[in-house]
Structure formats: C-alpha cells, structure tokens
Amino acid sequence: MTGTTKNCVVVIGVGMTGLSVVNYLLRKGGDIDIKVIDTQMVRQGSVQLPSEVELHAGGWNMNWLLNANQIIVSPGVALATPELKEAAAKGIEIIGDIELFARDVSVPVIGVTGSNGKSTVTSLVGEMAKTAGINVGVGGNIGFAALDMLMNDHALYILELSSFQLETTLSLDLAAAVFLNFSEDHMNRYIGMGDYHDAKLRIYLQAALAVWNQDDTKTMPVEHANAIRFGLTDGEYTLTLRDGFEWLTANDEQIMPVSDILLVGRHNVANCLAAMAAADAVGIERIAQCAAIRQYRGLPHRCQKVLEQDGVLWVNDSKATNLASTLAALNGIRRDGKLHLMVGGDGKGANFVSLKPVLEKLNVTLYCFGCNGQSFSALVERPVVVETLQQAMDIAAKDAVSGDMVLLSPACASFDQFLNCMVRGDTFAAYASVAVSKKHEDRS
C-alpha cells in the first residue's frame, strides 16, 4: 500500500459471497484497491474475479490484512480466526456483505433467523409478497447473495440471516426481525451455546419490530420496545379452535383453517404464523398471505417426497443439517410402517443424545453414515453403520416393505462427502430409483 492513497479493501473468501462483494465494490466505483484472500488453494483463472483484482490463495497475506482500510469477510470465516483478531486489534474495520447491503438499501427489509425453518419462512414470505404483486428480492443465506439483489429495483427484501452473517452486521434496519427457534448448532465455531445465542440475538439490533416464538423463550428479545409473539399455544399469532377445527389466528382474528396448509408438520404451522406476522409488518395483504400458504409446497431438500414405489415412500430432508431440523422432521412426518432413517455426516461438534428418546418411540431402523456416523450408533440397539449414503440406501431398499418410509434427515452438515446439502439431497433423489432397481434385480 506504500506510495498510494487508494482506499484498500480486502475481501476474505472467493465463493459466491466474496464474488458478490467484489462486484458490488466495482459497481460503486471510486478510488479503491480491491484485494482478495482465500485460504484455500484456488487459481485466479478458476474463479470469476475480474483481471484487475489481485488474489492471494492458499493461506493468509498478513501484509494485505494489516494495511487494509477495511476487511470484508465471508460468513464461513470466523471472526475468532487469529489473523482477523490481529487485524481487529489494530483497529481495522471488519464487516460482512450484509453490512454493506444495510448501508446501501433504501426499501423495507425483513430478516429471518433461527436454528431451523428459516429458509422455509424466508421463501414463504417471499411468495406472499409475489402473490400481492410486490417486486421482492429473496436471498441472503438462501438463493441470491444480498448485494447481487441490489442491482434490481426491488420494493422489498426478505433475507435469511445466519448467525455467521449477523456477527458482522451492525446497522441493518429491519422492518421486522424474525427469530424462529434456538437449538444447538455450529459448536465447532462458537465457544458455547451462549456465544451462539448472542450471535442470533443480533438480528434484533435496529429492528422496528421483533417477532419471536412464544414456545421457545430463547428467541425472546431483550428490552425491545416493539415485539410480538407467534406460537402454537399462545401469542398474537397463534391457533384457536372453531367447530372442532384449528385456525391460524392473528390478533384474535381467525384467518384460515390449519387444514388448508400444504406443508407437513406442526413446525410448519408455526412457520406459517411467523410468516404472517412478518408479512403484516410490511403491509402485505391478508388475501395474498392466505393464497400463498395454500399454494406453497416447501423447498427442495426439505421433507421433499422424491419417490414412491412398491408402497415405500422415499423422502429427502437433506437440509436437516442440525439436530433440531431432524427432530422437526420426525415430529412432522407420519407413516404406518417402519421408518428407515439415515443420519450422519459432519456433526459440527454437536451432541445427538437428545435424539434417543424420540427414536425409542418409533418403529425405526437407523442408518449411520459419514465421518460422524458412529456418533449416532449408540442411540438404538441395532444400528446399521456404513461408510456412504448410497450403501445405506441399498440396504434400506432391500429391507423396506410396503407402508415403510426411507427418510434422509442427517442432522449433520454434508461437507465430509458432498459439496453441500443440495448435492447430498440430489444424490439421494437420483439414487433412490437405482437402489430400488438393484433390489428387483437381486430378486429376479
């Protein structure tokens, strides 16, 4: 940086988020020198960086870091990383892409976080807005990078926000901040549950309205002046009975029967209540909310039915990357026959013992795969322990009979064997018919 007066910005990470930051900074223009660091070994030609942006790959460049005016870090890199702590100690500003977005956006924004269900609620509120004819951008931790969406003339943004993104966000003025639930996750990143919880609570900073879960008091905002509750048992957005049927109810007004919801499971009833509260905060018409709820079939890789053959139902819940998501799936799906449940992958330091009492109540065969598959083996008496997901599917296909369900709900991240949870889910969906065909070939 010697000999130049340019403002030096160092971007950490060359994935989707990092590239969106670089492109955003180039669009903004000005006298700026952009440099990119990625600790993984990547080559300049293998990424979509403009030729004028210098890349340092395969490790840290402390000269760049310590001479930067600003560091913009991708969510996957922890602020506790020693190299970043050294830069922070020098007084260098370290922020994330959502903070850049916050400093630029001029229309209402809804933020959604939680250990489970945030993708569903984010996309459902987006569908409500689209049904109402609103030009809405849906992204953040799901779909499009937040900064890329600023290129479009959106009248409203719905952002899924992870704890990692919230750590580096200071000034996001949310029209509504939704905190769905809280449970153990990412213990390989945080010092403990308190550290993780503090990161999640940051969603309420600057928010005009805090929307929290009456059935999970860990989501309660601390001293927020304007807060409302949703919940299955109580809250401004809750359930009431009429003529023996449950109704979604908002501020004592019965809106629509629960039986109209296409999504499966009690957790998704709560998700609909949270989505209604967020939609009300930005004036989305009630008729559009109800129409979206009646039509919304959920996200790929989230309790997605991929095959039903010989009376056996195969369900892809690959987005269940933590224990809470798997528990929600088990509570939401019903089947008369045996459940063939596939768990495992990268456990992120979690303890899965709370799954044991739930499994004891089910007619279940547990298939444990991946690098932390053994962590589940003590939860049932006769687990099936294999190395890969495909091996588990082959065995399940042979053993499953009409009325059974084969469910991939891993409670773990996918990075030990797959690029991401979507690739894991696609593998499950594509291989299901192959596994069934093998079964028929073996019998013929």
Side-chain angles (χ1 to χ4, degrees), residues 5-7 24-34:
T5 58
K6 280 189 175 182
N7 183 39
Y24 170 82
L25 293 173
L26 290 174
R27 290 196 306 271
K28 295 292 286 185
D31 199 15
I32 184 171
D33 179 26
I34 306 169

Side-chain angles (χ1 to χ4, degrees), residues 132-147:
I134 298 171
N135 183 358
V136 62
V138 180
N141 194 48
I142 179 179
F144 297 103
L147 291 171

Side-chain angles (χ1 to χ4, degrees), residues 6 20 23 39 42 54 58-59 161-162 172 275 305 434:
K6 280 189 175 182
S20 75
N23 291 330
T39 58
V42 296
E54 195 173 355
L161 298 172
S162 71
L172 183 58
K305 299 176 183 178
V434 175

Side-chain angles (χ1 to χ4, degrees), residues 49-286:
L49 279 178
S51 58
E52 67 267 30
V53 177
E54 195 173 355
L55 170 67
H56 178 92
W60 292 96
N61 186 322
M62 293 308 299
N63 182 52
W64 286 7
L65 277 183
L66 297 180
N67 286 282
N69 300 105
Q70 184 183 63
I71 297 171
I72 304 171
V73 61
S74 295
V77 182
L79 293 178
T81 301
E83 291 81 2
L84 292 180
K85 290 179 71 174
E86 186 177 346
K90 193 177 176 182
I92 300 169
E93 182 183 45
I94 303 177
I95 60 173
D97 68 308
I98 301 300
E99 178 62 19
L100 284 180
F101 174 91
R103 296 177 184 184
D104 200 337
V105 70
S106 58
V107 299
V109 182
I110 292 172
V112 182
T113 197
S115 300
N116 179 46
K118 54 186 178 290
S119 296
T120 296
V121 173
T122 300
S123 57
L124 177 54
V125 178
E127 290 303 311
M128 290 175 172
K130 291 175 186 176
T131 303
I134 298 171
N135 183 358
V136 62
V138 180
N141 194 48
I142 179 179
F144 297 103
L147 291 171
D148 288 345
M149 293 193 297
L150 285 176
M151 291 187 291
N152 300 304
D153 189 24
H154 293 303
L156 172 68
Y157 292 95
I158 320 294
L159 298 183
E160 176 186 320
L161 298 172
S162 71
S163 58
F164 299 168
Q165 290 170 312
L166 291 169
E167 288 175 11
T168 54
T169 302
L170 307 169
S171 54
L172 183 58
D173 295 326
L174 294 172
V178 185
F179 190 173
L180 295 171
N181 45 60
F182 181 77
S183 60
E184 184 180 36
D185 200 2
H186 304 300
M187 289 300 100
N188 57 341
R189 168 114 170 202
Y190 294 104
I191 297 172
M193 289 287 282
D195 194 26
Y196 175 41
H197 188 227
D198 288 344
K200 286 291 192 186
L201 285 173
R202 290 178 63 84
I203 195 170
Y204 293 135
L205 297 177
Q206 312 290 337
L209 176 68
V211 181
W212 63 282
N213 185 352
Q214 171 69 34
D215 300 326
D216 186 346
T217 56
K218 289 286 188 180
T219 66
M220 183 187 299
V222 179
E223 297 181 355
H224 199 286
N226 190 20
I228 59 172
R229 304 162 299 156
F230 70 93
L232 300 178
T233 58
D234 197 7
E236 286 77 22
Y237 292 77
T238 189
L239 303 181
T240 56
L241 284 174
R242 188 171 85 188
D243 299 327
F245 294 95
E246 286 185 321
W247 283 66
L248 299 180
T249 301
N251 297 308
D252 296 324
E253 179 188 358
Q254 291 179 327
I255 305 302
M256 62 179 286
V258 170
S259 58
D260 284 3
I261 300 173
L262 283 184
L263 294 171
V264 176
R266 298 295 283 178
H267 61 298
N268 277 321
V269 176
N271 287 338
C272 288
L273 291 167
M276 288 171 57
D280 280 351
V282 293
I284 297 175
E285 297 173 352
R286 185 77 74 201

